[in-house]
Amino acid sequence: MKQLLKAEETSRVRIPDDPLVTLNEVIEAHEELEAEAEALLGGANANVCTYPEGYKPRQPLYSCRDCTSTTGPAALCYACSVNCHDGHELVELYTKRNFCCDCGNSKFKNACTLYKEKKPLNERNQYNHNFDGLYCTCNRPYPCEEYDDCEMLQCIVCEDWFHLQHLEETLDSVDTSEVEEVICRNCVTRFTFLLSYADGTYKEGCGDDNLCKLKWLEANAKTDENSQPCSLFFNSYKWRNRLCQCNICLNFYEDNNLQFLTDLTDCMQTFVESHGNKGDDKPKDDDRVMTNALIDVAGREGAITLFKGYEEMKRKLGNHLKRLADEGREVKKEDIDQFFQELEIERKRRREDILSQL
């Protein structure tokens, strides 16, 4: 899956520009966007801080500009961003690996409202300029006017975000719709062995599992001494299966904090897939808000009666719209007006039936 900066931008579902679209198209687009947004949250619970889980392999993170402008970068889990920093200026960081929630530790004036027993610091957290709302080698915020229409992709090694033109000088040579993972030029420069596994370069051939595949690849590679390291674009996250896993290479990965490269569950593709289509039976936030509001106004018994009526109307409207969708029709104002006219006629009929029985 292409890793773009905003969750809603990762979807390839697009509602046509034509203002008249069939209801099926609208429903399908909405449902896919909603499902993907849920998956990108990784099943995060909006009321439970992830601190007790330690350094999670991957989770959605946020940074609070209001609380940490003078104390240094800090990572917030999804629940803390909602409960402890509501109304603050937050930076959405998408997902990052191996972070433990900082909310309420020594970098903050106030304690975490969800989990108070936290260490002063999480020493293993590794922050970059993303936590200040800055990205790419150009060190610019997102979005910014200069690069408003530019696509951004995330390096799987440093997990910074880059404008495509700052990853690749020849933009026409990269079809981002086919890209699932990216390694930026800086990371390739640090770890040049990755060039041996690049799409278009890698060759199968070392059939002896006891030998180091990397040494074989380097010995048989056609190299240009004048070539400079470049960003790598992979069409599938399964390129990671190419990596040599001899003891020497495994030790190298560990020494350089690159163990995640051999773990396919680290990939955004598997992260999203593993958290997709979950929680379908949990109550929706909109329903909880509706229930609480009705209780405040009408009391618990009155709220139950009103909520049943609301659910009945919602069910009937859903059936009405589904019928139109099955017919492949566009939804027009007249269709909605007709539904509520029929609903009003039925309501009057019921009231007359009740009065006739008195």
Side-chain angles (χ1 to χ4, degrees), residues 48-57 100:
V48 178
C49 176
T50 61
Y51 180 85
E53 300 177 55
Y55 296 87
K56 296 195 66 173
C100 187

Side-chain angles (χ1 to χ4, degrees), residues 143-198:
C144 66
E145 292 184 2
E146 185 176 354
Y147 300 107
D148 186 46
D149 296 327
C150 298
E151 198 166 33
M152 297 194 78
L153 296 96
Q154 186 183 36
C155 172
I156 65 169
V157 177
C158 66
E159 296 195 296
D160 196 0
W161 293 89
F162 298 89
H163 299 104
L164 179 58
Q165 60 263 52
H166 296 152
L167 285 169
E168 176 60 43
E169 295 178 358
T170 309
L171 298 184
D172 293 340
S173 65
V174 179
D175 181 0
T176 57
S177 66
E178 299 297 326
V179 174
E180 285 195 352
E181 293 198 327
V182 176
I183 302 178
C184 72
R185 183 183 292 107
N186 289 340
C187 288
V188 174
T189 301
R190 289 176 59 202
F191 305 112
T192 55
F193 77 93
L194 292 167
L195 290 167
S196 298
Y197 301 104

Side-chain angles (χ1 to χ4, degrees), residues 7 18 31 36 60 99 118 142 167 217 274 292-293 312 316:
D18 189 332
E31 288 180 348
E36 187 167 12
F99 270 87
K118 294 186 177 181
Y142 177 89
L167 285 169
L217 289 170
S274 65
N292 292 335
E312 177 69 9
K316 289 182 177 180

